[in-house]
Amino acid sequence: MNPRLRDKQINVHIDGVQLGVVTETKFFGVIVQNNISWNSHMDHISKKIAKGIEILYKVSDKLSESAKISLYYGLIYPYIHNCYVVWGVDNKTGLSAIHRQQKHVLRIIYGLKQRDSTIMYFEITDMLTIYQ
């Protein structure tokens, strides 16, 4: 942003009522911050994914692998890929956190240990990583 414009305050009125300034707002499910940072959105997405992972973990011993994959696509995948083109472009730290969560999902689905590689399982399930 132009330094001369940074400190300028723009007053917008609708029907004589001045609109307030906000630091962030949700638009089509994406949290947009006034400084064009996606940290709040990434935190929101990560919490939603964590809830889905918790559900998947609790039912994992009762479901087949294909049912667990379907549960992933129903509970977790929509949060990852909603407007990803917008918020996923320039946030490597946030993306790596979501990628770790995706690997955690695969470990739950296939009963892998924490240190087991998940690369092959991304290919087996045709699951796209957050980086693809």
Side-chain angles (χ1 to χ4, degrees):
M1 177 181 272
N2 186 330
R4 293 182 303 187
L5 298 176
R6 186 177 307 145
D7 297 327
K8 299 271 185 187
Q9 182 157 0
I10 299 171
N11 295 318
V12 178
H13 294 80
I14 296 180
D15 292 332
V17 177
Q18 183 176 347
L19 297 180
V21 177
V22 296
T23 57
E24 63 185 42
T25 189
K26 190 180 256 190
F27 186 71
F28 288 121
V30 177
I31 299 172
V32 181
Q33 293 175 270
N34 63 348
N35 61 353
I36 315 299
S37 169
W38 301 104
N39 295 337
S40 293
H41 184 71
M42 299 297 278
D43 290 343
H44 175 73
I45 292 294
S46 186
K47 288 175 187 174
K48 292 289 188 178
I49 292 170
K51 287 179 186 176
I53 290 172
E54 182 180 352
I55 292 168
L56 184 62
Y57 179 75
K58 287 182 179 181
V59 299
S60 65
D61 59 337
K62 297 168 182 60
L63 298 176
S64 67
E65 289 175 358
S66 62
K68 290 183 252 185
I69 292 169
S70 294
L71 202 57
Y72 163 78
Y73 280 109
L75 294 176
I76 299 168
Y77 181 83
Y79 291 109
I80 294 173
H81 290 281
N82 178 35
C83 294
Y84 166 75
V85 173
V86 176
W87 58 264
V89 174
D90 195 31
N91 194 334
K92 300 300 180 206
T93 305
L95 292 181
S96 66
I98 291 175
H99 188 247
R100 279 192 306 274
Q101 288 179 308
Q102 283 186 300
K103 292 192 298 186
H104 187 74
V105 165
L106 286 174
R107 288 186 177 102
I108 291 170
I109 291 171
Y110 292 103
L112 304 174
K113 295 184 173 140
Q114 186 174 359
R115 304 293 280 172
D116 291 342
S117 175
T118 56
I119 295 170
M120 179 179 71
Y121 295 95
F122 276 107
E123 294 171 6
I124 289 171
T125 59
D126 289 330
M127 188 183 296
L128 296 176
T129 69
I130 193 69
Y131 299 114
Q132 295 174 322

